[in-house]
Amino acid sequence: MASSFVPRTVFPALDSLPRSYFLGHHRAGLAKMKTMLSTIDLVIECRDYRVPLTSHNPLFEESLAERERMVVYTKKDLGSNDTAADAERESLLRTHHAPHPTHFSTCTSPPSTRRILTTLKAHANALSHHSLTGPRILVVGMPNVGKSSLLNALRAVSLSRGKVAHTGAQPGITRKIGTGVKILEGRQLEAEGGEGVYMMDTPGVFIPYVPNAQAMLKLALCGMVKDTIISPVTLADYLLFWINKVDPTLYAEYHEPTNEIVQLLEAVARKTGRLMKGGVPDVEGCALWIVQRWRNGLLGRFVLDEVSKEVLLEDGRRRKEGGPISLNQARRADKEAKRVISRSKKKAVG
Ligand SMILES: Nc1nc2c(ncn2[C@@H]2O[C@H](COP(=O)(O)OP(=O)(O)OP(=O)(O)O)[C@@H](O)[C@H]2O)c(=O)[nH]1
């Protein structure tokens, strides 16, 4: 019965879970970004609002530190429905990133895009005295965080132009650094703006070493890791763990509150007709389906990282102690990721 249901307070440790997804094109993309820095005026670093701490990739600060930076938390609409909690979270994150400007974006919300454009204009106005061609911006972030969608949104709101960057539900849609795309006309700037403000899309770059299995699960749940890397049932189980903490009635149309993922998935299979030969429930297919529903905001909207003054302080301290990550370490992580992917492919074939 719902009234006697007790959600799990801890998720199993899962020590064997892959912890790396740092691929060759991530490393190559980052190295190229580094060589381009002298032609860049501003780096926009995107992080996912649902995992504001976990989606922080230290590689960007280390490799692109010489340039001014703006932090944009994407997919704000998928984060929460609690206005007071959002306001507090946003204020803490703004203070945490100061003096870098921080924005919270929903790619389909013109007001949030306009706020970013206002900051970009101010930045460009301050710069354009010494730039002949106009300011250049690089947008960086983890895979699937919403970089291309942000670029398209800025261009649509500012110039009423259509989509130029490819977007998609899986990570790795953008594989190469794009040519500059205009997001502001020179005449939209107060000072001499040259040809306008151009933005370059970049491939998503994953964190070389994910500190623990829970962090990997959070990143995978938010879609930053290909769905073939972690078993869909494990991912769905992690989602169920979170939904039960937030509101177990979110899946009431399929099952009463439960901590048993297979029970829930079988109920989903029966209800939605996802059955295999002989009427066997397609548990894996249903696992992917419910994860996808959550990613689309159809199974609750909530933030997976706790954000408080203490947590932010502790996170900053831990990262400082962790020291910089060299590209050699990243290369080793790249090899490890390839091993993990090849193992998971073999498993899928077997
Ligand atoms: N709900 C919601 N979905 C978003 C938002 N921004 C992006 N998305 C979705 O997130 C997915 C990934 O977006 P992309 O813009 O392709 O992400 P990316 O960072 O360019 O991805 P890579 O190619 O892996 O680097 C797409 O399905 C987008 O529609 C947002 O603000 N809200």
Side-chain angles (χ1 to χ4, degrees), residues 75 77-78 106-107 143-149 167-169 171-174 204:
K75 309 193 184 184
D77 54 318
L78 299 177
T106 296
C107 70
N144 204 34
V145 73
K147 300 175 291 298
S148 307
S149 304
T167 61
I173 302 286
T174 308

Side-chain angles (χ1 to χ4, degrees), residues 11 87-88 108 139 163 226 231 262 269 282 303 312 329:
F11 193 73
E88 193 184 338
T108 49
V139 58
K163 201 171 150 172
K226 265 226 161 80
S231 138
V262 175
D282 180 4
V303 174
L312 288 171
Q329 280 173 304

Side-chain angles (χ1 to χ4, degrees), residues 158-317:
S158 169
L159 306 175
S160 305
R161 304 247 179 99
K163 201 171 150 172
V164 278
H166 291 293
T167 61
Q170 281 288 308
I173 302 286
T174 308
R175 288 299 175 109
K176 286 194 175 146
I177 300 181
T179 50
V181 169
K182 193 183 273 189
I183 55 162
L184 280 163
E185 294 284 5
R187 61 184 155 73
Q188 289 177 291
L189 305 177
E190 279 163 24
E192 191 52 57
E195 293 164 26
V197 177
Y198 283 78
M199 184 180 260
M200 272 153 272
D201 199 3
T202 64
V205 176
F206 199 75
I207 302 167
Y209 304 105
V210 179
N212 55 61
Q214 291 258 347
M216 189 70 181
L217 284 168
K218 284 182 185 179
L219 296 173
L221 193 54
C222 292
M224 296 180 211
V225 173
K226 265 226 161 80
D227 283 335
T228 45
I229 304 299
I230 292 178
S231 138
V233 178
T234 304
L235 215 50
D237 191 23
Y238 188 61
L239 174 61
L240 177 64
F241 166 75
W242 270 97
I243 292 180
N244 282 342
K245 287 211 277 188
V246 175
D247 177 8
T249 65
L250 282 167
Y251 53 87
E253 62 186 295
Y254 307 108
H255 205 282
E256 62 188 22
T258 176
N259 288 317
E260 298 300 326
I261 186 62
V262 175
Q263 267 182 18
L264 173 62
L265 294 175
E266 286 179 352
V268 169
R270 282 191 293 273
K271 191 95 188 205
T272 61
R274 286 183 165 73
L275 302 169
M276 299 189 300
K277 258 192 200 152
V280 178
D282 180 4
V283 168
E284 287 222 342
C286 288
L288 277 176
W289 185 74
I290 69 162
V291 165
Q292 206 53 52
R293 277 183 84 74
W294 180 75
R295 286 180 187 153
N296 290 331
L298 300 171
L299 204 53
R301 293 164 189 244
F302 45 88
V303 174
L304 306 175
D305 285 341
E306 184 195 340
V307 176
S308 68
K309 230 185 214 165
E310 295 70 29
V311 167
L312 288 171
L313 270 176
E314 172 59 21
D315 185 66
R317 193 189 55 72

Side-chain angles (χ1 to χ4, degrees), residues 50-116:
R50 294 165 297 175
V51 277
L53 274 71
T54 312
S55 63
H56 171 189
N57 188 344
L59 282 178
F60 293 127
E61 274 151 39
E62 284 160 27
S63 303
L64 313 176
E66 296 155 40
R67 280 294 164 267
E68 280 200 48
R69 205 155 53 91
M70 179 198 282
V71 181
V72 173
Y73 285 94
T74 56
K75 309 193 184 184
K76 161 85 204 298
D77 54 318
L78 299 177
S80 137
N81 289 325
D82 183 339
T83 319
D86 278 338
E88 193 184 338
R89 188 179 297 113
E90 287 171 27
S91 152
L92 283 167
L93 289 168
R94 273 204 182 94
T95 311
H96 182 64
H97 294 303
H100 305 300
T102 304
H103 284 278
F104 300 87
S105 143
T106 296
C107 70
T108 49
S109 149
S112 77
T113 308
R114 254 180 237 122
R115 283 192 286 273
I116 300 175

